[in-house]
Amino acid sequence: MVKRRRGLLEAVAAFFLLGLLAAPGALALSDHLVIGEVVVDVTGLESAGEFVEVYNPTGETVAIGGWDVAYKTATGSSFSAVATIPAGREIGPYGFFLVGGDQVSPTPDYVDTSLGFAAAGGHVALRNSANAIIDKIGYGTATDPESQAAPAPPIDQSLERRPGASNPAKGNGQDRDDNRNDFDTRATSQPQNAASGQEIPDSVAGVVTPASAGLLGISATTNVTVTDADRN
């Protein structure tokens, strides 16, 4: 009877911990840099007002010198760099880096007036220095989005990665690899740059791996503490 009880407690505890940290309904948090917000059409000179905001949902500083913002048309076959981040730049934990025109506020961390996105549809990508795509968004009539294209935003509005405006202190870390479900249209854009401060995501999906085949020695009153090293 004692042996069966302990085995049952081990199974229940393992199920509870795994379900708590990796529940299907939990936020699908990215483990890499993502495009947090983008404006593709503005009133007036487009090159002055378009921008791409990059968000770091991880607890590590990432060197982004030599990375680029790339674009391809809605039906295009390949990406081309439209803005290359200078050497030596980095993005801190849970922070932002803004690339955009000279009329964007706050001032972009890297000003570039040659973005030139199409309003009706296209693809914007963040690539590393080896030209590997780290993240991308397809919008409007884009034929190569992550799963489904996000809607083309109206003029002067933006596409913002969730949770975004719905939980503005928690960053833009949702990444289900589905542009339609990962982005919302925002009536008033809110670009953020490196000076905007950290926004720490609400939760992280994870997996608990016991050191042995079972959670040995657990009892009905055992306390279990789980620590996320990135969150301190």
Side-chain angles (χ1 to χ4, degrees), residues 59-228:
E60 304 293 331
T61 296
V62 180
I64 54 175
W67 291 36
D68 64 45
V69 172
Y71 177 73
K72 74 174 178 178
T73 62
T75 58
S77 59
S78 62
F79 282 94
S80 297
V82 291
T84 300
I85 299 169
R89 309 304 289 273
E90 60 185 26
I91 180 170
Y94 314 117
F96 300 87
F97 190 92
L98 184 61
V99 177
D102 54 11
Q103 298 300 309
V104 174
S105 180
T107 302
D109 300 293
Y110 178 58
V111 174
D112 190 293
T113 58
S114 60
L115 296 181
F117 305 138
H123 308 81
V124 179
L126 174 67
R127 304 191 301 184
N128 65 17
S129 56
N131 287 338
I133 293 175
I134 304 302
D135 190 37
K136 72 175 179 179
I137 175 174
Y139 61 93
T141 56
T143 58
D144 183 31
E146 290 185 351
S147 190
Q148 305 175 87
I155 190 168
D156 294 325
Q157 298 187 26
S158 69
L159 291 171
E160 183 181 39
R161 183 179 292 276
R162 296 176 179 173
S166 67
N167 199 350
K170 298 301 182 180
N172 307 97
Q174 176 176 310
D175 191 8
R176 298 184 184 277
D177 292 325
D178 185 333
N179 294 154
R180 179 170 296 177
N181 289 318
D182 284 338
F183 285 84
D184 290 319
T185 300
R186 183 167 182 145
T188 302
S189 65
Q190 188 184 36
Q192 291 165 281
N193 62 10
S196 298
Q198 293 183 332
E199 291 188 2
I200 300 177
D202 194 38
S203 63
V204 178
V207 176
V208 174
T209 303
S212 61
L215 298 174
L216 302 179
I218 197 168
S219 71
T221 58
T222 297
N223 293 319
V224 179
T225 300
V226 179
T227 301
D228 181 349

Side-chain angles (χ1 to χ4, degrees), residues 14-64:
F15 178 81
F16 172 77
L17 287 170
L18 290 172
L20 177 65
L21 293 182
L27 174 68
L29 184 67
S30 176
D31 61 356
H32 56 77
L33 301 190
V34 293
I35 295 171
E37 188 174 4
V38 59
V39 160
V40 300
D41 190 22
V42 297
T43 301
L45 189 62
E46 291 189 5
S47 60
E50 293 179 342
F51 70 80
V52 176
E53 172 199 282
V54 180
Y55 174 63
N56 181 2
T58 79
E60 304 293 331
T61 296
V62 180
I64 54 175

